[in-house]
PDB file of all heavy atoms in Angstrom:
ATOM      1  N   ASN A 222     -86.366  96.890  81.504  1.00  0.00           N
ATOM      2  CA  ASN A 222     -85.213  96.051  81.827  1.00  0.00           C
ATOM      3  C   ASN A 222     -84.033  96.937  82.229  1.00  0.00           C
ATOM      4  O   ASN A 222     -83.684  97.885  81.515  1.00  0.00           O
ATOM      5  CB  ASN A 222     -84.849  95.207  80.589  1.00  0.00           C
ATOM      6  CG  ASN A 222     -83.631  94.339  80.840  1.00  0.00           C
ATOM      7  OD1 ASN A 222     -82.516  94.828  80.863  1.00  0.00           O
ATOM      8  ND2 ASN A 222     -83.883  93.048  81.025  1.00  0.00           N
ATOM      9  N   ARG A 223     -83.377  96.591  83.368  1.00  0.00           N
ATOM     10  CA  ARG A 223     -82.382  97.510  83.920  1.00  0.00           C
ATOM     11  C   ARG A 223     -81.137  97.649  83.024  1.00  0.00           C
ATOM     12  O   ARG A 223     -80.568  98.726  82.911  1.00  0.00           O
ATOM     13  CB  ARG A 223     -81.980  97.054  85.327  1.00  0.00           C
ATOM     14  CG  ARG A 223     -83.025  97.458  86.358  1.00  0.00           C
ATOM     15  CD  ARG A 223     -82.562  97.189  87.752  1.00  0.00           C
ATOM     16  NE  ARG A 223     -82.508  95.749  88.024  1.00  0.00           N
ATOM     17  CZ  ARG A 223     -82.184  95.232  89.200  1.00  0.00           C
ATOM     18  NH1 ARG A 223     -81.863  96.023  90.209  1.00  0.00           N
ATOM     19  NH2 ARG A 223     -82.179  93.937  89.392  1.00  0.00           N
ATOM     20  N   VAL A 224     -80.758  96.526  82.398  1.00  0.00           N
ATOM     21  CA  VAL A 224     -79.577  96.586  81.522  1.00  0.00           C
ATOM     22  C   VAL A 224     -79.881  97.439  80.285  1.00  0.00           C
ATOM     23  O   VAL A 224     -79.120  98.351  79.916  1.00  0.00           O
ATOM     24  CB  VAL A 224     -79.144  95.163  81.096  1.00  0.00           C
ATOM     25  CG1 VAL A 224     -78.003  95.232  80.081  1.00  0.00           C
ATOM     26  CG2 VAL A 224     -78.716  94.359  82.316  1.00  0.00           C
ATOM     27  N   LEU A 225     -81.034  97.136  79.662  1.00  0.00           N
ATOM     28  CA  LEU A 225     -81.418  97.917  78.479  1.00  0.00           C
ATOM     29  C   LEU A 225     -81.642  99.378  78.835  1.00  0.00           C
ATOM     30  O   LEU A 225     -81.357 100.289  78.035  1.00  0.00           O
ATOM     31  CB  LEU A 225     -82.697  97.330  77.859  1.00  0.00           C
ATOM     32  CG  LEU A 225     -82.553  95.945  77.230  1.00  0.00           C
ATOM     33  CD1 LEU A 225     -83.895  95.462  76.696  1.00  0.00           C
ATOM     34  CD2 LEU A 225     -81.510  95.972  76.120  1.00  0.00           C
ATOM     35  N   ARG A 226     -82.138  99.584  80.032  1.00  0.00           N
ATOM     36  CA  ARG A 226     -82.392 100.953  80.497  1.00  0.00           C
ATOM     37  C   ARG A 226     -81.080 101.740  80.590  1.00  0.00           C
ATOM     38  O   ARG A 226     -80.992 102.887  80.132  1.00  0.00           O
ATOM     39  CB  ARG A 226     -83.050 100.844  81.875  1.00  0.00           C
ATOM     40  CG  ARG A 226     -83.642 102.112  82.430  1.00  0.00           C
ATOM     41  CD  ARG A 226     -84.281 101.732  83.767  1.00  0.00           C
ATOM     42  NE  ARG A 226     -84.652 102.884  84.551  1.00  0.00           N
ATOM     43  CZ  ARG A 226     -85.839 103.469  84.489  1.00  0.00           C
ATOM     44  NH1 ARG A 226     -86.738 103.010  83.650  1.00  0.00           N
ATOM     45  NH2 ARG A 226     -86.123 104.515  85.239  1.00  0.00           N
ATOM     46  N   ARG A 227     -80.042 101.075  81.141  1.00  0.00           N
ATOM     47  CA  ARG A 227     -78.748 101.766  81.233  1.00  0.00           C
ATOM     48  C   ARG A 227     -78.142 101.982  79.842  1.00  0.00           C
ATOM     49  O   ARG A 227     -77.508 103.006  79.582  1.00  0.00           O
ATOM     50  CB  ARG A 227     -77.781 100.958  82.124  1.00  0.00           C
ATOM     51  CG  ARG A 227     -78.075 101.091  83.604  1.00  0.00           C
ATOM     52  CD  ARG A 227     -76.921 100.587  84.441  1.00  0.00           C
ATOM     53  NE  ARG A 227     -76.688  99.159  84.291  1.00  0.00           N
ATOM     54  CZ  ARG A 227     -77.286  98.212  85.007  1.00  0.00           C
ATOM     55  NH1 ARG A 227     -78.144  98.548  85.973  1.00  0.00           N
ATOM     56  NH2 ARG A 227     -77.027  96.954  84.795  1.00  0.00           N
ATOM     57  N   VAL A 228     -78.349 100.986  78.963  1.00  0.00           N
ATOM     58  CA  VAL A 228     -77.853 101.149  77.588  1.00  0.00           C
ATOM     59  C   VAL A 228     -78.505 102.376  76.938  1.00  0.00           C
ATOM     60  O   VAL A 228     -77.834 103.216  76.316  1.00  0.00           O
ATOM     61  CB  VAL A 228     -78.137  99.880  76.754  1.00  0.00           C
ATOM     62  CG1 VAL A 228     -77.904 100.144  75.264  1.00  0.00           C
ATOM     63  CG2 VAL A 228     -77.258  98.729  77.226  1.00  0.00           C
ATOM     64  N   ALA A 229     -79.820 102.483  77.122  1.00  0.00           N
ATOM     65  CA  ALA A 229     -80.541 103.627  76.543  1.00  0.00           C
ATOM     66  C   ALA A 229     -80.064 104.937  77.163  1.00  0.00           C
ATOM     67  O   ALA A 229     -79.857 105.940  76.457  1.00  0.00           O
ATOM     68  CB  ALA A 229     -82.043 103.456  76.760  1.00  0.00           C
ATOM     69  N   ILE A 230     -79.844 104.917  78.470  1.00  0.00           N
ATOM     70  CA  ILE A 230     -79.384 106.141  79.154  1.00  0.00           C
ATOM     71  C   ILE A 230     -77.993 106.548  78.667  1.00  0.00           C
ATOM     72  O   ILE A 230     -77.699 107.740  78.503  1.00  0.00           O
ATOM     73  CB  ILE A 230     -79.386 105.908  80.685  1.00  0.00           C
ATOM     74  CG1 ILE A 230     -80.832 105.885  81.201  1.00  0.00           C
ATOM     75  CG2 ILE A 230     -78.604 106.996  81.406  1.00  0.00           C
ATOM     76  CD1 ILE A 230     -80.970 105.402  82.629  1.00  0.00           C
ATOM     77  N   SER A 231     -77.148 105.544  78.399  1.00  0.00           N
ATOM     78  CA  SER A 231     -75.798 105.885  77.967  1.00  0.00           C
ATOM     79  C   SER A 231     -75.784 106.468  76.552  1.00  0.00           C
ATOM     80  O   SER A 231     -74.774 107.004  76.116  1.00  0.00           O
ATOM     81  CB  SER A 231     -74.877 104.659  78.055  1.00  0.00           C
ATOM     82  OG  SER A 231     -75.382 103.611  77.258  1.00  0.00           O
ATOM     83  N   LEU A 232     -76.905 106.350  75.851  1.00  0.00           N
ATOM     84  CA  LEU A 232     -76.999 106.955  74.519  1.00  0.00           C
ATOM     85  C   LEU A 232     -77.679 108.320  74.541  1.00  0.00           C
ATOM     86  O   LEU A 232     -77.844 108.959  73.504  1.00  0.00           O
ATOM     87  CB  LEU A 232     -77.752 106.017  73.561  1.00  0.00           C
ATOM     88  CG  LEU A 232     -77.103 104.650  73.312  1.00  0.00           C
ATOM     89  CD1 LEU A 232     -78.003 103.772  72.460  1.00  0.00           C
ATOM     90  CD2 LEU A 232     -75.739 104.804  72.661  1.00  0.00           C
ATOM     91  N   LEU A 233     -78.092 108.750  75.756  1.00  0.00           N
ATOM     92  CA  LEU A 233     -78.782 110.048  75.858  1.00  0.00           C
ATOM     93  C   LEU A 233     -77.898 111.208  75.414  1.00  0.00           C
ATOM     94  O   LEU A 233     -78.395 112.257  75.013  1.00  0.00           O
ATOM     95  CB  LEU A 233     -79.235 110.285  77.298  1.00  0.00           C
ATOM     96  CG  LEU A 233     -80.601 109.727  77.699  1.00  0.00           C
ATOM     97  CD1 LEU A 233     -80.895 110.073  79.156  1.00  0.00           C
ATOM     98  CD2 LEU A 233     -81.694 110.283  76.806  1.00  0.00           C
ATOM     99  N   GLY A 234     -76.590 111.010  75.524  1.00  0.00           N
ATOM    100  CA  GLY A 234     -75.658 112.064  75.126  1.00  0.00           C
ATOM    101  C   GLY A 234     -75.809 112.459  73.674  1.00  0.00           C
ATOM    102  O   GLY A 234     -75.454 113.568  73.280  1.00  0.00           O
ATOM    103  N   VAL A 235     -76.334 111.556  72.858  1.00  0.00           N
ATOM    104  CA  VAL A 235     -76.557 111.870  71.447  1.00  0.00           C
ATOM    105  C   VAL A 235     -77.590 112.996  71.322  1.00  0.00           C
ATOM    106  O   VAL A 235     -77.513 113.849  70.439  1.00  0.00           O
ATOM    107  CB  VAL A 235     -77.020 110.613  70.687  1.00  0.00           C
ATOM    108  CG1 VAL A 235     -77.360 110.939  69.245  1.00  0.00           C
ATOM    109  CG2 VAL A 235     -75.944 109.541  70.753  1.00  0.00           C
ATOM    110  N   LEU A 236     -78.567 112.987  72.249  1.00  0.00           N
ATOM    111  CA  LEU A 236     -79.606 114.021  72.230  1.00  0.00           C
ATOM    112  C   LEU A 236     -79.204 115.250  73.035  1.00  0.00           C
ATOM    113  O   LEU A 236     -79.690 116.351  72.781  1.00  0.00           O
ATOM    114  CB  LEU A 236     -80.918 113.457  72.800  1.00  0.00           C
ATOM    115  CG  LEU A 236     -81.481 112.224  72.096  1.00  0.00           C
ATOM    116  CD1 LEU A 236     -82.676 111.676  72.859  1.00  0.00           C
ATOM    117  CD2 LEU A 236     -81.862 112.563  70.670  1.00  0.00           C
ATOM    118  N   LEU A 237     -78.351 115.057  74.040  1.00  0.00           N
ATOM    119  CA  LEU A 237     -77.955 116.159  74.926  1.00  0.00           C
ATOM    120  C   LEU A 237     -76.437 116.323  74.859  1.00  0.00           C
ATOM    121  O   LEU A 237     -75.711 115.932  75.769  1.00  0.00           O
ATOM    122  CB  LEU A 237     -78.392 115.850  76.367  1.00  0.00           C
ATOM    123  CG  LEU A 237     -79.867 115.496  76.566  1.00  0.00           C
ATOM    124  CD1 LEU A 237     -80.114 114.933  77.953  1.00  0.00           C
ATOM    125  CD2 LEU A 237     -80.735 116.708  76.324  1.00  0.00           C
ATOM    126  N   PRO A 238     -75.930 116.853  73.748  1.00  0.00           N
ATOM    127  CA  PRO A 238     -74.490 116.880  73.541  1.00  0.00           C
ATOM    128  C   PRO A 238     -73.768 117.932  74.389  1.00  0.00           C
ATOM    129  O   PRO A 238     -73.403 119.006  73.921  1.00  0.00           O
ATOM    130  CB  PRO A 238     -74.352 117.200  72.053  1.00  0.00           C
ATOM    131  CG  PRO A 238     -75.571 117.950  71.718  1.00  0.00           C
ATOM    132  CD  PRO A 238     -76.652 117.502  72.645  1.00  0.00           C
ATOM    133  N   VAL A 239     -73.583 117.616  75.643  1.00  0.00           N
ATOM    134  CA  VAL A 239     -72.878 118.516  76.557  1.00  0.00           C
ATOM    135  C   VAL A 239     -71.583 117.816  76.947  1.00  0.00           C
ATOM    136  O   VAL A 239     -71.555 116.599  77.085  1.00  0.00           O
ATOM    137  CB  VAL A 239     -73.725 118.762  77.816  1.00  0.00           C
ATOM    138  CG1 VAL A 239     -73.066 119.796  78.706  1.00  0.00           C
ATOM    139  CG2 VAL A 239     -75.113 119.226  77.424  1.00  0.00           C
ATOM    140  N   CYS A 240     -70.494 118.586  77.128  1.00  0.00           N
ATOM    141  CA  CYS A 240     -69.264 117.919  77.540  1.00  0.00           C
ATOM    142  C   CYS A 240     -69.358 117.581  79.022  1.00  0.00           C
ATOM    143  O   CYS A 240     -70.337 117.887  79.694  1.00  0.00           O
ATOM    144  CB  CYS A 240     -68.043 118.779  77.245  1.00  0.00           C
ATOM    145  SG  CYS A 240     -67.652 119.956  78.514  1.00  0.00           S
ATOM    146  N   GLU A 241     -68.311 116.944  79.551  1.00  0.00           N
ATOM    147  CA  GLU A 241     -68.420 116.376  80.891  1.00  0.00           C
ATOM    148  C   GLU A 241     -68.756 117.400  81.972  1.00  0.00           C
ATOM    149  O   GLU A 241     -69.456 117.087  82.931  1.00  0.00           O
ATOM    150  CB  GLU A 241     -67.137 115.626  81.258  1.00  0.00           C
ATOM    151  CG  GLU A 241     -65.891 116.480  81.361  1.00  0.00           C
ATOM    152  CD  GLU A 241     -65.112 116.501  80.063  1.00  0.00           C
ATOM    153  OE1 GLU A 241     -65.738 116.316  78.999  1.00  0.00           O
ATOM    154  OE2 GLU A 241     -63.889 116.722  80.115  1.00  0.00           O
ATOM    155  N   CYS A 242     -68.287 118.651  81.795  1.00  0.00           N
ATOM    156  CA  CYS A 242     -68.545 119.659  82.833  1.00  0.00           C
ATOM    157  C   CYS A 242     -70.046 119.942  82.933  1.00  0.00           C
ATOM    158  O   CYS A 242     -70.586 120.107  84.023  1.00  0.00           O
ATOM    159  CB  CYS A 242     -67.812 120.950  82.543  1.00  0.00           C
ATOM    160  SG  CYS A 242     -66.497 120.819  81.373  1.00  0.00           S
ATOM    161  N   GLY A 243     -70.689 120.015  81.768  1.00  0.00           N
ATOM    162  CA  GLY A 243     -72.117 120.301  81.760  1.00  0.00           C
ATOM    163  C   GLY A 243     -72.961 119.113  82.172  1.00  0.00           C
ATOM    164  O   GLY A 243     -74.129 119.271  82.577  1.00  0.00           O
ATOM    165  N   ASN A 244     -72.373 117.925  82.110  1.00  0.00           N
ATOM    166  CA  ASN A 244     -73.144 116.730  82.448  1.00  0.00           C
ATOM    167  C   ASN A 244     -73.394 116.590  83.948  1.00  0.00           C
ATOM    168  O   ASN A 244     -74.326 115.901  84.347  1.00  0.00           O
ATOM    169  CB  ASN A 244     -72.418 115.477  81.943  1.00  0.00           C
ATOM    170  CG  ASN A 244     -72.667 115.280  80.461  1.00  0.00           C
ATOM    171  OD1 ASN A 244     -73.708 115.674  79.948  1.00  0.00           O
ATOM    172  ND2 ASN A 244     -71.709 114.717  79.769  1.00  0.00           N
ATOM    173  N   VAL A 245     -72.537 117.209  84.750  1.00  0.00           N
ATOM    174  CA  VAL A 245     -72.719 117.068  86.203  1.00  0.00           C
ATOM    175  C   VAL A 245     -74.053 117.672  86.652  1.00  0.00           C
ATOM    176  O   VAL A 245     -74.863 116.995  87.285  1.00  0.00           O
ATOM    177  CB  VAL A 245     -71.519 117.649  86.971  1.00  0.00           C
ATOM    178  CG1 VAL A 245     -71.769 117.579  88.461  1.00  0.00           C
ATOM    179  CG2 VAL A 245     -70.246 116.892  86.616  1.00  0.00           C
ATOM    180  N   PRO A 246     -74.316 118.946  86.323  1.00  0.00           N
ATOM    181  CA  PRO A 246     -75.625 119.463  86.701  1.00  0.00           C
ATOM    182  C   PRO A 246     -76.783 118.707  86.051  1.00  0.00           C
ATOM    183  O   PRO A 246     -77.834 118.529  86.669  1.00  0.00           O
ATOM    184  CB  PRO A 246     -75.590 120.931  86.235  1.00  0.00           C
ATOM    185  CG  PRO A 246     -74.456 121.033  85.292  1.00  0.00           C
ATOM    186  CD  PRO A 246     -73.477 119.982  85.698  1.00  0.00           C
ATOM    187  N   LEU A 247     -76.560 118.254  84.800  1.00  0.00           N
ATOM    188  CA  LEU A 247     -77.615 117.519  84.117  1.00  0.00           C
ATOM    189  C   LEU A 247     -77.872 116.180  84.809  1.00  0.00           C
ATOM    190  O   LEU A 247     -79.033 115.765  84.995  1.00  0.00           O
ATOM    191  CB  LEU A 247     -77.213 117.308  82.648  1.00  0.00           C
ATOM    192  CG  LEU A 247     -78.268 116.759  81.698  1.00  0.00           C
ATOM    193  CD1 LEU A 247     -79.589 117.503  81.827  1.00  0.00           C
ATOM    194  CD2 LEU A 247     -77.769 116.844  80.264  1.00  0.00           C
TER     195      LEU A 247
END
Side-chain angles (χ1 to χ4, degrees):
Chain A
N222 178 285
R223 281 188 290 183
V224 175
L225 292 178
R226 191 178 168 91
R227 284 194 295 272
V228 168
I230 287 169
S231 58
L232 298 175
L233 273 181
V235 176
L236 302 173
L237 307 168
V239 186
C240 86
E241 64 266 27
C242 343
N244 280 331
V245 176
L247 190 48

